[in-house]
Amino acid sequence: MRMTTNMQAQVKRAIAALALSALAISSGSARAAASCPALRWTTLGTAGGPVPTAERSEPANLLTIGERRILVDTGDGTVDQLARIGLDLGGIDTVFISHNHLDHTGGLAAVIGLRWMNQFPGVLTVYGPVGTRAVVDGIVASLATPGSIGFGLGTPPPRPADSVRAVELADGQSLDLGQGASVKAVANSHFDHDGKSHSRPDASNVSLSYRFALGSRSLTYTGDTGPSAAVTALARGSDMFVTEIIALDALLGEIRMRRKDASPEMLSGMERHLSTHHLRPEAIGEIAAQAGVGRVVLTHFAVPPGPLPQYEPAIRAGIAARYAGPVDLARDLQSFDVGCRP
């Protein structure tokens, strides 16, 4: 059937209307993004502790603030997890380290080294507690041999030291991240021993918790910690509380079963550490309730290897005994948004 002139005109008007509608939707989305920039937490790795498992990658997180992407802890496999969500290291210019245990820093060498080998522009800044500079300096030193070999491009590679810098943070220190974003760090109780705090700003064994804020929105990340008044104060009023968790009895039973080589002294020390320097469900519920947080996101699961659902009922019941808000058990590569209030 041939279209009449009138029919052709109607089709053209319909196409024009559709184009205008699509443009309006696109413009509306752009305005919404500008008025409410993203504040998003992605759990790259949700394992807890220095024992690799088949179910979860080592502790690592991606924080998205507007168009900016920041790594928060970099356990082994961080770069692989970034690749799985379609990101390369060129989009990363900042790393925050909570503490210098290897399960939280094992992937930092790959972040620094592969970013350098690809010659992505700009300098990577690594923030963390005292001791972070020594870790970064050691990684840079390890790049001397590949630097002397070169990349086969016919020109000498840039100096590894020029691609990264380390900034050590003190207890209570705040930073302006630009574009209305900020972060505050506080020393927590992960390295407290025998009731004595080793979280002095000049100590080399500080463990930090972070509160990231964008305008009126905020999220708090515990890193590794035991019960801590400082962490509770830091989290007060946070929209999201991202916290570690331990299934203590199950984990201790697993350790005793698998580590027949361990001495009684080692097992005793392990039990003391795990019971005081990490958070059980009831402690998480207590902090969340006292701080009045909007939502709890669980990660860094210090549980025996295997599927997580078998521990979920006990975890939820322990938290719910003190906190009535929503609780999420994060999976690897899962994202959580802190949206703008209406």
Side-chain angles (χ1 to χ4, degrees), residues 1-340:
M1 182 178 103
R2 297 183 61 185
M3 296 179 66
T4 65
T5 302
N6 185 48
M7 291 171 65
Q8 291 174 345
Q10 289 177 344
V11 170
K12 288 180 179 178
R13 285 195 295 271
I15 293 173
L18 286 171
L20 287 172
S21 176
L23 180 61
I25 292 172
S26 176
S27 299
S29 299
R31 286 194 298 271
S35 62
C36 184
L39 180 58
R40 181 178 305 117
W41 187 269
T42 301
T43 48
L44 299 176
T46 59
V51 180
T53 70
E55 297 80 23
R56 293 173 287 280
S57 188
E58 290 287 274
N61 305 277
L62 177 70
L63 172 65
T64 302
I65 301 182
E67 297 299 318
R68 190 173 181 186
R69 294 179 174 88
I70 296 169
L71 290 174
V72 186
D73 281 337
T74 54
D76 187 35
T78 294
V79 296
D80 301 312
Q81 296 295 77
L82 286 174
R84 288 186 175 99
I85 59 173
L87 294 180
D88 63 39
L89 293 168
I92 305 293
D93 64 3
T94 305
V95 176
F96 282 89
I97 298 297
S98 64
H99 65 294
N100 287 299
H101 274 162
L102 194 61
D103 53 324
H104 290 252
T105 62
L108 185 58
V111 172
I112 293 172
L114 296 182
R115 193 177 183 280
W116 163 70
M117 283 193 71
N118 282 282
Q119 300 186 41
F120 287 120
V123 175
L124 179 73
T125 302
V126 181
Y127 296 97
V130 173
T132 300
R133 184 172 292 112
V135 171
V136 171
D137 287 348
I139 293 170
V140 169
S142 76
L143 298 177
T145 297
S148 66
I149 295 169
F151 305 152
L153 302 178
T155 56
R159 289 192 337 127
D162 294 336
S163 68
V164 61
R165 70 181 183 120
V167 178
E168 295 181 338
L169 301 176
D171 179 21
Q173 186 171 349
S174 296
L175 296 174
D176 184 349
L177 298 176
Q179 299 183 330
S182 63
V183 60
K184 181 176 181 179
V186 302
N188 58 48
S189 63
H190 188 51
F191 293 151
D192 289 357
H193 300 287
D194 301 322
K196 299 177 181 178
S197 175
H198 290 250
S199 298
R200 300 184 307 275
D202 60 340
S204 61
N205 56 354
V206 173
S207 177
L208 296 176
S209 299
Y210 293 108
R211 179 182 179 126
F212 297 94
L214 178 61
S216 62
R217 295 176 286 162
S218 64
L219 63 86
T220 297
Y221 171 61
T222 64
D224 283 11
T225 184
S228 167
V231 173
T232 303
L234 182 71
R236 188 155 289 122
S238 291
D239 297 284
M240 187 182 298
F241 182 56
V242 183
T243 175
E244 67 133 73
I245 185 165
I246 186 170
L248 181 63
D249 293 338
L251 188 59
L252 287 173
E254 176 77 10
I255 292 170
R256 292 191 187 98
M257 181 183 71
R258 288 184 178 269
R259 293 301 306 272
K260 301 296 186 183
D261 61 314
S263 67
E265 292 76 19
M266 176 183 172
L267 291 173
S268 176
M270 183 69 69
E271 181 172 356
R272 185 167 56 252
H273 163 67
L274 293 175
S275 63
T276 58
H277 302 153
H278 291 279
L279 292 173
R280 292 180 241 191
E282 294 77 10
I284 292 170
E286 185 70 23
I287 293 174
Q290 289 186 8
V293 303
R295 177 185 192 178
V296 171
V297 174
L298 303 177
T299 187
H300 193 281
F301 291 98
V303 300
L308 189 60
Q310 61 184 305
Y311 304 106
E312 184 170 352
I315 287 172
R316 289 192 177 278
I319 295 173
R322 293 167 172 80
Y323 174 72
V327 176
D328 293 285
L329 278 68
R331 304 182 305 274
D332 284 13
L333 308 182
Q334 187 173 4
S335 291
F336 303 88
D337 284 274
V338 179
C340 291

